[in-house]
Amino acid sequence: MMEQIRKAITIHDVAAAAGVSVSTVSRVLNDKDDVAAETYERVQQVIAELGYASSLAARGMRSRRTNVIGLIMPDVAAPYSVAVLQGINRAIAQSDYDLIVYTNGDVRKNASAAQESYFVSLLNGSITDGVIVVTPVATNFSTAAPIVAIDPNNESPDCPAIISTNRDGALQAMNYLIGLGHRRIGFINGRSELVSASRRLRGYRDGLAAAGIPFNENLIEIGDYTTETARICTHRLLQLDDPPTAIFAA
């Protein structure tokens, strides 16, 4: 016996079950005040009973707003991405907006600017009211909708951006280790093509220079912001004939 395929509930189904016109259901969905209270309650009850949900695209076409924010990030499992997602989710929870998340790759791979631009166009077309892009490599986005970048991988993004204090944070970490008496400090950086990685390396080198400690390339390992690679880099540093007494994993 073949399993019966359930048909998606449409606005026409709601109208038929409630005994009203499609336009009346639409007015209820848009909270128009010209619908009789009894009719409004009946339509809402039918919507709940049938489990009807208006599509984001249809909602956007009706009201020009969807009350949805799009989030595009490279890897939801990466510690950095998890922290960003938690912060955004806390802010969303205090508003009347919903969140939709797209992933565009893996922290160990080069993200595609074309793919990022495609996702932004897709989400900002009719699904969301605005988009947040985490660590984008694209330098510009063809969209009139609001967009914010978090830690963009270019020096001058063409949209509002939230940029971490990568160099200053690395310098503070170095000052802490040097203050503990360490002079031979290993450094595990991120992928060399990333702006965040180059800024953290700058902070590492500035910390050494300020303390009068010579820079030693043998103490530098290039990672990819993953725990697995950091473990391998740490092992290599500790296997040196003169291993570091401390390691800064950026």
Side-chain angles (χ1 to χ4, degrees):
M1 181 177 178
M2 294 183 62
E3 183 178 348
Q4 185 176 3
I5 300 176
R6 292 187 60 187
K7 187 182 73 170
I9 302 298
T10 68
I11 192 172
H12 295 277
D13 297 324
V14 174
V20 298
S21 66
V22 170
S23 62
T24 297
V25 176
S26 178
R27 301 190 77 76
V28 170
L29 290 171
N30 287 288
D31 287 324
K32 299 296 184 180
D33 56 10
D34 58 353
V35 180
E38 181 181 347
T39 301
Y40 183 91
E41 292 298 329
R42 184 166 72 254
V43 171
Q44 288 286 20
Q45 182 179 352
V46 170
I47 288 173
E49 291 174 351
L50 296 181
Y52 172 73
S54 176
S55 72
L56 294 177
R59 193 194 311 174
M61 286 188 290
R62 286 196 305 267
S63 64
R64 302 294 181 184
R65 291 189 61 184
T66 63
N67 276 45
V68 175
I69 299 296
L71 175 62
I72 301 172
M73 59 192 345
D75 187 349
V76 293
Y80 174 79
S81 297
V82 170
V84 170
L85 182 57
Q86 288 175 336
I88 293 173
N89 191 57
R90 282 195 296 268
I92 288 288
Q94 299 173 17
S95 71
D96 59 351
Y97 280 84
D98 293 319
L99 183 69
I100 183 170
V101 181
Y102 270 52
T103 59
N104 63 335
D106 188 293
V107 292
R108 291 168 292 188
K109 301 176 182 177
N110 292 324
S112 164
Q115 189 178 42
E116 288 173 349
S117 297
Y118 168 74
F119 281 146
V120 168
S121 298
L122 178 66
L123 292 176
N124 268 347
S126 58
I127 299 176
T128 67
D129 294 333
V131 171
I132 301 169
V133 189
V134 181
T135 61
V137 295
T139 56
N140 58 77
F141 298 97
S142 299
T143 176
I147 181 169
V148 174
I150 297 179
D151 266 351
N153 282 305
N154 54 79
E155 296 287 348
S156 302
D158 70 342
C159 62
I162 299 170
I163 300 175
S164 298
T165 54
N166 289 290
R167 181 264 177 189
D168 291 345
L171 180 58
Q172 289 178 23
M174 289 299 293
N175 288 340
Y176 172 76
L177 293 175
I178 293 169
L180 293 177
H182 296 286
R183 305 282 295 177
R184 190 169 174 80
I185 303 171
F187 181 68
I188 302 175
N189 203 9
R191 300 201 323 265
S192 57
E193 77 275 8
L194 299 181
V195 171
S196 59
S198 65
R199 288 174 176 168
R200 292 173 192 181
L201 177 59
R202 190 186 313 158
Y204 169 80
R205 298 191 66 154
D206 288 348
L208 292 176
I213 302 173
F215 174 74
N216 186 341
E217 289 189 358
N218 293 329
L219 295 177
I220 305 298
E221 288 286 341
I222 305 301
D224 56 14
Y225 293 146
T226 66
T227 302
E228 177 185 354
T229 303
R231 186 180 298 111
I232 295 172
C233 292
T234 299
H235 180 75
R236 283 200 291 256
L237 287 171
L238 295 179
Q239 292 301 307
L240 293 173
D241 292 336
D242 186 8
T245 60
I247 295 176
F248 172 25

